Amino acid sequence: MNVFYEESGSFKVGAVVSRNDASLQVDTLHGKRAKIKSASVMLEFNSALAEFLPAVEKLAAEIDVDFLWEVSGQDEFGFEALAADYWGHAPSAVEAAAIIQRLFEAPMYFYKKGKGRFKAAPEESLKAALAGIEKKKREQEQIDGWVAELKAGRLPDAIRAQLMTLLFRPDKNTLEFKAFDQACRERNLPPVRLAAEVGGIPSVPDYLMAGFLLEYFPKGTGFGQYAAPVLPGEDELPLSDVAAFSIDDAATTEIDDALSLVALPNGNQRVGIHIAAPTLGVAPGSDIEKLVFQRLSTVYFPGDKITMLPDELVELFTLKEGQACPAVSLYVEVTPEFEPVGYESRIERVTIAANLRHAQLEQVFNEETLALPDGGPDYPFKRELTWLWQFANALEKRRGKYDPTRPVQMDYNFNVVDGKVQITLRKRGAPMDKLVSELMILANSEWGRMLAEADIPAMYRAQSMGKVRMTTRPEPHVGLGVAQYAWSTSPLRRATDFVNQRQLTAMIRGEKPEFEQGNAMLFAILRDFDATYSAYLAFQDRMEHFWCLRWFSQEGVTEPTATLIKEDLVRIDGLPLRLRVPGLPELASGDKVRLAVIRIDELTQEIELRYAGKVGHEEVLVEEDSTV
C-alpha cells in the first residue's frame, strides 16, 4: 500500500512499511525510509509509486480554480465530496489527489479548516486578494522596467525625484527603493556609485548638501510663517554715550558684537562690550523663539550658510553701522595697568559708528605697525584698537595662556565662487583676532559669574580632562583658563547665547528668568544644542574636506608638499588637510616631504598619495599608497 501525504507544505508519496495508530514508516521514491504522522496522510493508493505524482501534477494543472471555487459552495466541505462533484463520479486516487493539490495551491480561494477540509473564501475577500496579486504583478513590472533603465545607464524620472532620499534616508517599502536596490545588486555597485553613473549626482557639493538637509532640515531651509519681530522703541531703551565699532570679515551679516573705549576722569578706561539683543524683540514662546530652539545654530560651510534666524530679524538686530542698535552691554573699568576693577551690565541702545572689516583693517592694524614707535599710519579708531590690543594681551597673560614660544598657527578661509574654491591662510592670533577673542572670553566668563552668583541657570561650556561639554552649572573651562564660560556673545547665531541673553536681561532688570533652576526645557535645549552643533561642525568639516580635494584638480597640483606631524601623519602645505601616508621613511617631526597624487575620488572623498621624496633631497619613490 502507498500513501499520498503532506509534509512541510508540499505533497509526497511513499510505500508503507509499517504503521501504528499515530505514525507510519514509509520508503520514499528516493529509497529513503521516513517516519510520518498518520494525520499527514491524505489518501492511500495502489498504483505505481513513481507514476503517481507526475499524473497528479498534470491533472491538477488542468483544473480551473475559479470554476472549482464556484462549485464548492459556501459551506465547509471535505475534498472527497468536492472531487466527486467536480469529476461527476467517484474519483480515482489520482483525481482526488489532484483536487487536494489544487486546493492547497489556492489559499486565496480556499481556507484550510482541518485535515482534508476547506471552505471557499467569501467573494469580496477573494476579489480583494486577487486585486492585490494583480497590483503586485503591475508593481513588479514597474520595478523590472526601472531596473532595466538603470542598468542601461538611464535614470527614470520617478527615481530621480526620490534619489537623495534613496541614498540617505531610504524607505525600503517603496517601489523606487526596490528597483534601485535591485539594480545596485545586479550591477554590483554601491548606491552612490550607481547614482553617479546614471547622472544622478552632477554636483558632489549638492549631493553632500542634500544629505545634510534631509537629516537636519527635512522641511527645507525656509522659515515658514511667523509673527514679525518688534524692534524696541527709542523710548524703551536709553541711548549709550559711546560710539562703538565691530570687527568682522566681509561676508558677516549677523554682527553680534561691537566694542567701545572711553577715557574716565580718574585716569582709568571704560571698555564696552556690546552684544546684539534679539531677545528684546522675540517674546518667550513666540514663533521665532520656537525657530531658535529648532535650528539651534547657524550652519556654516564654504560658499554659503543657513542662518538660525530669519533675515528680517537679523536685519533688525544686527549691529549695523550708522544705527543705534538694541544691545546688552558689559562695561569694564580698567586701570592704566590693565587691571579690571569694576563691571556693569546694561540694556540700552548703542550707536554703531563703524563696521570694520578684516581685509581693510589688517593692512593698517597688524603686528608690524604696532611695533612701530608711532603705531604706523593713522586710521579710524587707532587709539581704541591699540589700547584694546594691549588690554587683550594682559587678559591673555591673566588667564595663564600667554606663550611667546608657541608655534605659529594658521586659520584657513574658504571662499567658493562659481564652483571654484579659494583657500586663504591667516595667521592665528593676529592683533584684531586676539583683541576680539579676549574681550569675548572676558564677557562670557564675567556674565557667567554674575548669573551664577544670582542663582540663575545658564548654558555653560566646560572643559576638564581634555573633554568639552555643556552644563547648566558653572564649571571651569581649563582650556581657556577661566572659572566659568557661558556663551553669551553670539545670540544671532547660537541658541545657547540666545538663551543666556534671556537670562541676563532678566538678571539686569531684576525680573523672574524664563528658565529657573531644574527647568526641564533648559536641559532639553542644552542636550539638543550639543548634539546638533556638533553635527553642524561635522558637516562643515566634510564640505571643507571636499573643497580641499577639489583644489588639487582645480589648481593642477599633482605633487604637493607636506609637513610631517608624527609617524605617518602629515599636513598638506597650504590646506587644512591632515593625512596618513604609510611607507614614509624615518623622518623627524617638521620635516618637509613631497607626495605624488595617485587618485582623487571626490564622490567618496578619498585621496591616494604616495611618498615622492624629501624636500631638498633626491629619494627613491616608495611603492606604498595611502587612502583616506
Side-chain angles (χ1 to χ4, degrees):
M1 182 62 66
N2 301 323
V3 291
F4 177 71
Y5 63 96
E6 186 264 334
E7 184 178 75
S8 302
S10 62
F11 290 103
K12 299 179 180 180
V13 294
V16 178
V17 177
S18 64
R19 72 173 75 204
N20 55 41
D21 291 341
S23 63
L24 296 82
Q25 292 279 344
V26 301
D27 286 338
T28 67
L29 277 172
H30 305 291
K32 182 180 178 181
R33 183 156 295 182
K35 182 179 180 181
I36 63 173
K37 294 179 180 180
S38 298
S40 299
V41 176
M42 306 306 297
L43 56 82
E44 298 183 359
F45 62 95
N46 290 315
S47 55
L49 194 67
E51 299 173 359
F52 189 81
L53 273 183
V56 169
E57 292 171 354
K58 179 180 179 183
L59 191 59
E62 297 173 357
I63 296 175
D64 185 342
V65 70
D66 289 296
F67 177 70
L68 194 64
W69 177 81
E70 290 177 4
V71 301
S72 64
Q74 296 301 309
D75 298 328
E76 186 179 314
F77 60 86
F79 76 89
E80 303 96 333
L82 182 60
D85 288 344
Y86 184 82
W87 299 113
H89 56 261
S92 66
V94 170
E95 290 173 332
I99 291 294
I100 295 173
Q101 182 160 319
R102 203 71 177 105
L103 291 170
F104 266 82
E105 291 173 346
M108 290 186 301
Y109 286 80
F110 302 101
Y111 302 152
K112 297 176 184 178
K113 292 297 181 179
K115 179 183 177 182
R117 298 194 63 76
F118 299 86
K119 189 178 188 303
E123 183 176 0
E124 290 303 316
S125 299
L126 179 59
K127 285 182 178 178
L130 292 175
I133 290 294
E134 183 61 29
K135 179 182 178 182
K136 287 183 179 180
K137 180 182 177 181
R138 292 195 304 270
E139 289 177 347
Q140 189 57 53
E141 289 174 351
Q142 178 66 82
I143 289 171
D144 292 341
W146 285 338
V147 169
E149 286 194 70
L150 288 166
K151 291 172 67 176
R154 298 187 298 273
L155 183 60
D157 290 341
I159 293 181
R160 184 186 300 276
Q162 299 292 322
L163 187 58
M164 292 303 122
T165 301
L166 293 173
L167 292 174
F168 292 104
R169 300 184 69 179
D171 180 352
K172 296 184 179 181
N173 294 317
T174 63
L175 301 186
E176 291 84 357
F177 171 81
K178 292 175 181 178
F180 197 72
D181 181 63
Q182 182 177 330
C184 287
R185 285 186 279 107
E186 293 184 11
R187 288 289 313 279
N188 194 29
L189 289 173
V192 66
R193 190 64 67 191
L194 177 62
E197 285 199 6
V198 297
I201 305 180
S203 166
V204 177
D206 289 348
Y207 157 72
L208 296 174
M209 174 60 71
F212 174 75
L213 294 180
L214 279 172
E215 180 71 21
Y216 294 97
F217 295 86
K219 296 181 181 179
T221 58
F223 290 92
Q225 298 295 319
Y226 57 86
V230 178
L231 189 69
E234 291 185 4
D235 57 340
E236 297 180 55
L237 299 176
L239 179 65
S240 173
D241 60 352
V242 303
F245 56 90
S246 65
I247 303 174
D248 297 279
D249 64 46
T252 300
T253 56
E254 303 154 288
I255 303 175
D256 289 291
D257 55 86
L259 306 170
S260 64
L261 185 67
V262 174
L264 298 177
N266 62 1
N268 292 342
Q269 299 285 333
R270 189 185 69 191
V271 177
I273 304 170
H274 312 285
I275 307 302
T279 58
L280 299 181
V282 178
S286 64
D287 295 338
I288 294 178
E289 186 183 69
K290 291 175 183 176
L291 284 171
V292 170
F293 296 157
Q294 287 170 5
R295 296 208 172 194
L296 297 167
S297 173
T298 290
V299 185
Y300 294 96
F301 51 93
D304 208 350
K305 63 183 176 182
I306 303 171
T307 59
M308 181 180 76
L309 292 170
D311 291 344
E312 176 187 14
L313 188 141
V314 171
E315 181 64 22
L316 276 178
F317 288 94
T318 190
L319 302 182
K320 191 173 183 179
E321 181 178 319
Q323 296 184 358
C325 302
V328 178
S329 300
L330 176 67
Y331 288 99
V332 186
E333 185 174 347
V334 185
T335 68
E337 293 74 35
F338 302 111
E339 183 69 25
V341 293
Y343 298 92
E344 180 187 3
S345 297
R346 300 180 192 172
I347 301 170
E348 59 188 1
R349 288 184 298 124
V350 175
T351 300
I352 307 301
N355 293 142
L356 305 179
R357 300 299 183 176
H358 288 168
Q360 292 76 34
L361 180 60
E362 194 165 30
Q363 295 180 26
V364 292
F365 179 59
N366 53 57
E367 290 181 340
E368 288 74 21
T369 59
L370 288 168
L372 297 173
D374 60 354
D378 287 334
Y379 50 88
F381 301 100
K382 178 179 178 179
R383 184 192 78 85
E384 291 86 347
L385 288 165
T386 302
W387 192 94
L388 288 173
W389 174 70
Q390 295 169 342
F391 180 44
N393 285 322
L395 289 173
E396 184 181 42
K397 292 177 181 177
R398 187 164 167 249
R399 292 189 297 113
K401 297 302 174 181
Y402 177 71
D403 181 5
T405 65
R406 183 169 51 196
V408 174
Q409 293 179 298
M410 306 300 293
D411 286 323
Y412 298 85
N413 296 320
F414 289 76
N415 188 31
V416 179
V417 179
D418 297 329
K420 290 190 174 183
V421 62
Q422 298 172 342
I423 304 175
T424 56
L425 284 73
R426 290 184 66 249
K427 182 180 176 182
R428 186 177 298 178
M432 64 180 178
D433 297 329
K434 180 183 289 190
L435 183 157
V436 173
S437 64
E438 286 297 332
L439 292 178
M440 295 309 112
I441 291 172
L442 177 63
N444 289 326
S445 176
E446 288 303 318
W447 271 334
R449 176 186 61 79
M450 293 177 189
L451 287 167
E453 290 177 354
D455 196 30
I456 296 176
M459 292 189 178
Y460 293 90
R461 193 96 166 154
Q463 185 192 46
S464 60
M465 305 296 289
K467 294 183 178 180
V468 179
R469 58 191 177 86
M470 301 296 297
T471 174
T472 60
R473 293 283 184 179
E475 295 183 24
H477 193 299
V478 176
L480 294 176
V482 294
Q484 65 283 312
Y485 190 71
W487 264 346
S488 308
T489 54
S490 295
L492 294 174
R493 296 181 281 182
R494 287 191 302 241
T496 47
D497 305 59
F498 186 93
V499 168
N500 285 345
Q501 187 174 92
R502 276 243 192 274
Q503 304 295 82
L504 278 168
T505 56
M507 179 193 73
I508 295 168
R509 289 171 168 171
E511 299 173 348
K512 179 181 177 181
E514 181 176 358
F515 302 102
E516 297 186 278
Q517 294 290 358
N519 186 285
M521 180 65 174
L522 183 65
F523 284 106
I525 296 169
L526 183 145
R527 180 197 63 229
D528 292 346
F529 173 84
D530 202 16
T532 303
Y533 190 69
S534 296
Y536 289 178
L537 290 177
F539 172 66
Q540 181 178 355
D541 288 343
R542 285 198 302 275
M543 294 298 285
E544 289 183 355
H545 183 80
F546 163 78
W547 286 111
C548 284
L549 298 187
R550 172 63 59 86
W551 178 86
F552 283 99
S553 56
Q554 174 186 297
E555 302 298 321
V557 176
T558 58
E559 284 202 357
T561 59
T563 303
L564 182 72
I565 299 173
K566 63 178 181 178
E567 299 173 351
D568 60 354
L569 183 65
V570 302
R571 180 185 294 106
I572 305 299
D573 293 341
L575 298 177
L577 197 59
R578 291 154 55 108
L579 307 171
R580 293 196 177 275
V581 184
L584 291 178
E586 190 74 24
L587 296 168
S589 178
D591 280 351
K592 295 279 188 179
V593 296
R594 289 185 295 108
L595 302 171
V597 177
I598 306 303
R599 179 181 68 91
I600 293 177
D601 189 331
E602 293 182 354
L603 189 60
T604 58
Q605 297 200 57
E606 294 180 342
I607 179 171
E608 292 184 18
L609 299 170
R610 181 183 299 161
Y611 175 67
K614 190 175 179 181
V615 173
H617 295 75
E618 293 296 324
E619 298 284 349
V620 178
L621 194 67
V622 177
E623 296 296 331
E624 291 285 350
D625 290 342
S626 165
T627 302
V628 295

